DNA sequence: CGTCTTTGACCCGCGC
DNA sequence: GCGCGGGTCAAAGACG
């Protein structure tokens, strides 16, 4: 596997949850809802509010690598999308950079956020007022520092962009050549929360740049509980082939997603497309259309998601069947192997394993592309997202996430690799209310949303009714039943109309304070990234091939 | 009764 | 060529 040939998309979602713990060492993928409950018995109620989500999305599909980091920020978050690509193009280096306005890289944002939070938390003790002021001054200083850093980052970004364009040019030339042999890699990282998963880090090749980009990160570390509010989007693309057209090229910048230290919680989605399909189209399409079924090419596509959640699994929205489990050498935690059961011959498989460094982090790797149509809802969502360029999919952060929810009924994801809906089980730290996320919807049908933040509350702003899932909330979908009896294709269930991605907040700026907004910001960032692919892929019947039809949607707080 | 999870064994690829 | 590790298969058990 020459890395050069494969594409990768990584999405890191970092969330922090205090809450739920499966406790069980085994992380069982949510698939078996019923069982999960038994074993894992996650306590929704326990989920406490803080969650930090870091989403790193790597898209390999097109041959371009993109990194997007989203950190919770106070200031306007999103907007970076566009920049992100550029940044990413620059390669890894760019990662954290992005939002100029927001204050710089997501990391910084986080720090800022943290800073504020810290003082704020101070309760209202009057006695502490003086101290608070001191802290404020300190914070201001930090802010200034951060600003400076931001400037530096901007420079880096500019440089990156420049490089990006150059690469693009080269890429274009390169693309003209036969792609078959050419390897292409695209990596896209979305990191929310500013922290990057260790694994991601490991991958990251250029740490220096990262450091440069995210100086503040360290600060984050300090605050575990903090929601880093910074959303940074960086795109890194390295594509050697045509597929990559859309995005940028990157050179092999590794994913840099971030520092491990922060392992607090994050979800990382990483998709890497290893093989360019024999037919270039496939790759471009995301391999969707082609039923190639179990093509090797399909298998090569990989997406990994790292989510920090104590919950046993992350729900991706698809139906999976566990076919094996093994202990990997470097990680004491067993790795579980799942196969997509949505369609009989679906080549897609996924591996679920907990992060050694941070057991609360669940790493899910998807491989291959679905050879069956994705759920309409998912598709619709994906399309919506892509179209809007805004939000691609629903990402829900649910702290509740019991596996059950997850396992519940996962309709296929919009994207071939990832289901549009990813559920992160974990309680959001930030939300005091524990886990509301998945609330009703999730529970019953098993929401297939990717929940990034536990703050359901934030999301809550939107009426639950708004949240509609591609598939009916029927219990049947949900539980094991969904799987068992429910092997029926998910796509049959839902109507496109049903799906309504929550509109992203117009003002990114507002996001900062609100978790909801934050999530929205993330969604936006993701959507941007995804959008590209999504559109492309969607072009073909909107099947799963989209790599990233991800829509971030906030759910109403659960009760 | 049917389906899914669990678990051990087998096979394949890679590195030394 | 050997050993190691990863991934997959298949039988048995458990659960709904």
């Amino acid at each position: 596997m020459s890395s050069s040939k494969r594409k990768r998309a990584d999405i890191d979602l970092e969330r922090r949850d205090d809450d739920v713990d499966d406790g069980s060492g085994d992380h069982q993928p949510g698939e078996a809802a019923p069982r999960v409950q038994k074993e894992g018995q996650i306590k929704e109620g326990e989920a406490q509010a803080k969650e930090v989500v870091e989403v790193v999305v790597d898209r390999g599909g097109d041959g371009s690598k993109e990194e997007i980091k989203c950190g919770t920020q106070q200031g306007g978050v999103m907007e970076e999308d566009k920049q992100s690509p550029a940044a990413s193009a620059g390669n890894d280096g760019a990662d954290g950079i992005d939002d100029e306005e927001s204050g710089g890289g997501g990391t910084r944002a986080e720090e800022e956020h943290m800073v504020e939070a810290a003082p704020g938390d101070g309760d209202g003790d009057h006695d502490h007022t003086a101290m608070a002021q001191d802290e404020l001054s300190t914070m201001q200083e930090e802010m200034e520092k951060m600003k400076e850093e931001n400037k530096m980052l901007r420079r880096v970004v500019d440089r990156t962009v420049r490089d990006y364009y150059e690469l693009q040019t080269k890429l274009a030339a390169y693309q003209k050549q036969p792609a078959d042999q050419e390897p292409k890699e695209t990596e896209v990282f979305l990191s929310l929360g500013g922290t990057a998963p260790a694994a991601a880090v490991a991958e990251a090749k250029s740490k220096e740049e990262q450091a440069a980009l995210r100086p503040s990160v360290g600060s984050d570390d300090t605050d575990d509980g903090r929601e880093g509010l910074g959303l940074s989007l960086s795109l890194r693309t390295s594509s050697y082939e045509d597929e990559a057209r859309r995005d940028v090229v990157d050179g092999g910048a590794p994913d840099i997603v971030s520092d491990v230290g922060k392992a607090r919680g994050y979800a990382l989605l990483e998709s890497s497309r290893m093989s360019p399909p024999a037919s270039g189209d496939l790759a471009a399409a995301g391999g969707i259309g082609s039923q190639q079924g179990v093509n090797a090419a399909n298998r090569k596509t990989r997406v990994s998601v790292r989510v920090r959640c104590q919950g046993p699994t992350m729900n991706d929205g698809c139906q999976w069947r566990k076919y094996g489990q093994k202990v990997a050498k470097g990680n004491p935690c067993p790795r579980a192997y799942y196969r997509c059961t949505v369609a009989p011959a679906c080549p897609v498989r996924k591996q679920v394993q907990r992060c050694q460094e941070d057991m609360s982090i669940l790493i899910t790797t998807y491989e291959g592309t679905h050879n069956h149509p994705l759920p309409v809802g998912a598709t619709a969502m994906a399309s919506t997202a892509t179209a809007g360029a805004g939000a691609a999919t629903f990402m829900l952060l649910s702290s509740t996430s019991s596996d059950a929810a997850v396992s519940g009924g996962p309709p296929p994801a919009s994207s071939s690799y990832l289901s549009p809906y990813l559920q992160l089980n974990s309680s959001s730290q930030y939300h005091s209310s524990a886990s509301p996320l998945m609330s009703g919807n999730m529970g019953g049908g098993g929401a297939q949303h990717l929940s990034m933040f536990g703050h359901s509350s934030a999301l809550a702003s939107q009426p639950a009714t708004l949240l509609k899932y591609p598939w009916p909330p029927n219990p049947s979908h949900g539980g094991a039943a969904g799987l068992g009896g429910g092997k029926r294709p998910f796509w049959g269930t839902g109507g496109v109309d049903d799906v309504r991605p929550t509109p992203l907040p117009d003002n990114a700026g507002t996001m900062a304070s609100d978790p909801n907004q934050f999530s929205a910001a993330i969604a936006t960032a993701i959507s941007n990234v995804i959008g590209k692919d999504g559109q492309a892929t969607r072009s073909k019947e909107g099947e799963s091939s989209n790599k990233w039809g991800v829509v971030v949607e906030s759910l109403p707080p659960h009760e």
Side-chain angles (χ1 to χ4, degrees), chain A residues 342-559:
Chain A
V342 173
C346 183
V348 178
R349 293 182 184 182
K350 76 172 181 179
Q351 299 176 4
V352 178
Q353 185 174 27
R354 285 199 177 277
C355 181
Q356 180 179 358
E357 293 180 359
D358 185 343
M359 299 296 285
S360 63
I361 296 170
L362 195 66
I363 300 170
T364 303
T365 302
Y366 297 85
E367 184 172 342
T369 56
H370 293 281
N371 63 354
H372 50 79
L374 294 179
V376 174
T379 301
M381 292 193 251
S383 64
T384 302
T386 57
T393 55
F394 296 96
M395 295 181 76
L396 298 184
L397 296 183
S398 61
S399 43
T400 58
S401 60
S402 40
D403 288 351
V406 172
S407 60
S414 60
S415 64
S416 58
Y417 310 103
L418 298 182
S419 58
Y421 313 90
L422 291 179
Q423 268 187 343
L424 299 183
N425 294 338
S426 61
S427 55
S428 62
Q429 294 175 344
Y430 299 100
H431 283 283
S432 57
S433 59
S435 50
L437 293 178
M438 312 288 247
S439 54
N441 295 342
M442 304 291 294
Q448 288 45 8
H449 294 283
L450 167 65
S451 58
M452 302 189 71
F453 301 100
H455 347 32
S456 53
S457 63
L459 298 181
S461 61
Q462 295 175 345
T465 57
L466 291 179
L467 301 178
K468 293 184 179 179
Y469 303 84
W471 57 92
N474 295 343
S476 61
H477 290 291
L483 294 176
K487 287 188 171 183
R488 60 191 181 195
F490 46 76
W491 56 83
T493 61
V496 171
D497 295 350
D498 292 350
V499 175
R500 291 188 178 185
T502 308
L504 295 179
D506 292 349
N507 298 340
T510 53
M511 299 177 57
S513 29
D514 254 352
N516 289 340
Q517 291 177 347
F518 173 76
S519 63
I522 293 168
T524 301
I526 294 169
S527 65
N528 288 339
V529 173
I530 293 168
K532 292 177 181 179
D533 289 352
Q535 287 177 345
T537 54
R538 284 192 81 263
S539 61
K540 296 185 176 185
E541 295 185 356
E543 288 181 355
S544 57
S545 30
N546 301 337
K547 300 171 184 168
W548 310 98
V550 176
V551 175
V552 175
E553 183 178 311
S554 61
L555 294 179
H558 179 60
E559 293 172 2

Side-chain angles (χ1 to χ4, degrees), chain A residues 89-105:
Chain A
N91 320 326
D92 16 12
D95 11 65
I97 313 169
D98 45 1
D99 15 333
E100 303 169 354
E101 295 174 357
S102 52

Side-chain angles (χ1 to χ4, degrees), chain A residues 15-361:
Chain A
R15 7 162 35 183
R16 296 185 57 182
D17 300 350
D18 291 311
D19 59 62
V20 184
D21 219 19
D22 329 355
S24 60
D26 340 10
H27 22 310
Q28 295 174 345
E31 269 53 3
R35 270 196 172 185
V36 171
Q37 288 177 343
K38 289 180 179 181
E39 295 177 354
Q41 290 188 348
I42 297 167
K43 299 173 183 179
E44 293 177 353
E46 289 180 355
Q48 301 281 339
K50 293 179 178 180
E51 289 182 357
V52 172
V53 173
E54 181 173 310
V55 174
V56 173
V57 174
D58 288 348
R59 277 188 202 175
D62 293 349
S64 60
K65 293 180 179 179
E66 294 179 356
E67 290 181 356
I68 295 171
K69 292 181 179 181
C70 298
T72 41
Q73 283 181 342
Q74 293 175 343
V77 172
M78 314 312 277
E79 312 252 293
E80 303 169 353
D81 337 305
K82 293 179 180 178
Q83 290 179 343
S84 60
S88 60
N91 320 326
D92 16 12
D95 11 65
I97 313 169
D98 45 1
D99 15 333
E100 303 169 354
E101 295 174 357
S102 52
T107 10
R108 290 190 188 71
E110 289 179 356
E111 287 180 354
E112 290 178 357
H113 179 69
M114 291 176 63
V115 171
E116 290 178 356
D121 289 350
D123 297 355
D125 295 351
H126 296 288
D127 293 347
H128 298 288
T129 305
M131 294 179 65
Q133 290 178 350
D134 292 343
E135 289 179 355
L136 288 172
S137 62
T138 302
M139 291 174 66
Q140 289 178 350
E141 291 177 357
E142 290 179 356
M143 293 281 288
E144 291 177 358
K145 290 180 181 178
M146 291 173 68
K147 287 180 182 179
E148 292 178 358
E149 289 178 356
N150 285 332
K151 289 179 182 178
M152 293 177 66
L153 289 172
R154 286 182 186 178
R155 291 177 185 174
V156 174
V157 172
D158 290 342
R159 192 186 310 166
T160 302
V161 172
R162 224 175 289 161
D163 292 343
Y164 169 79
Y165 286 112
E166 290 177 359
L167 289 174
Q168 244 182 337
T169 302
K170 291 179 181 178
L171 176 66
Y174 188 83
Q175 286 178 343
K176 289 179 181 178
Q177 298 177 349
D180 292 353
Q181 295 175 346
E182 302 299 354
K184 44 178 155 175
E185 289 184 0
T186 23
E187 292 181 353
V188 175
F189 293 91
L190 266 183
S191 63
L192 297 183
T195 58
V201 172
E203 291 179 354
K205 292 177 181 178
S206 62
K207 292 179 180 179
E208 292 176 357
E209 290 179 355
Q210 291 178 350
L213 295 178
R214 332 176 156 183
S216 62
V217 171
S219 64
D220 286 354
D221 293 350
T222 45
D223 287 340
D224 292 350
R226 282 233 181 168
E227 347 173 57
L229 298 179
L231 173 60
S232 65
L233 171 70
S234 66
L235 275 185
R236 172 195 305 184
T237 61
S238 62
S239 61
Y240 298 93
E241 292 185 357
D242 46 351
E243 291 177 355
R245 298 175 182 174
R246 315 173 179 161
D247 297 345
V248 186
V249 174
D250 158 18
D255 321 357
I256 316 168
V257 181
S258 49
D259 317 1
V260 179
K262 299 189 168 202
R264 300 172 185 163
Y266 55 82
L268 167 72
L269 286 181
E270 177 179 14
S271 68
S272 61
R273 259 191 188 197
M274 307 281 306
S275 68
S279 59
D281 293 355
L282 212 170
I288 302 163
S290 51
Q291 322 98 321
Q292 342 81 12
V294 188
N295 228 342
N298 286 343
R299 297 286 307 272
K300 290 185 177 184
T301 303
R302 286 186 177 182
V303 175
S304 29
V305 178
R306 292 190 186 110
V307 178
R308 176 171 194 172
C309 59
Q310 305 230 334
T313 63
M314 176 183 74
N315 187 358
D316 54 8
C318 284
Q319 293 180 351
W320 304 92
R321 181 169 185 169
K322 187 174 182 179
Y323 67 88
Q325 181 173 322
K326 196 162 190 175
V327 177
K329 183 179 181 182
N331 190 337
C333 298
R335 179 181 299 170
Y337 299 90
Y338 294 85
R339 199 172 281 174
C340 178
T341 60
V342 173
C346 183
V348 178
R349 293 182 184 182
K350 76 172 181 179
Q351 299 176 4
V352 178
Q353 185 174 27
R354 285 199 177 277
C355 181
Q356 180 179 358
E357 293 180 359
D358 185 343
M359 299 296 285
S360 63
I361 296 170

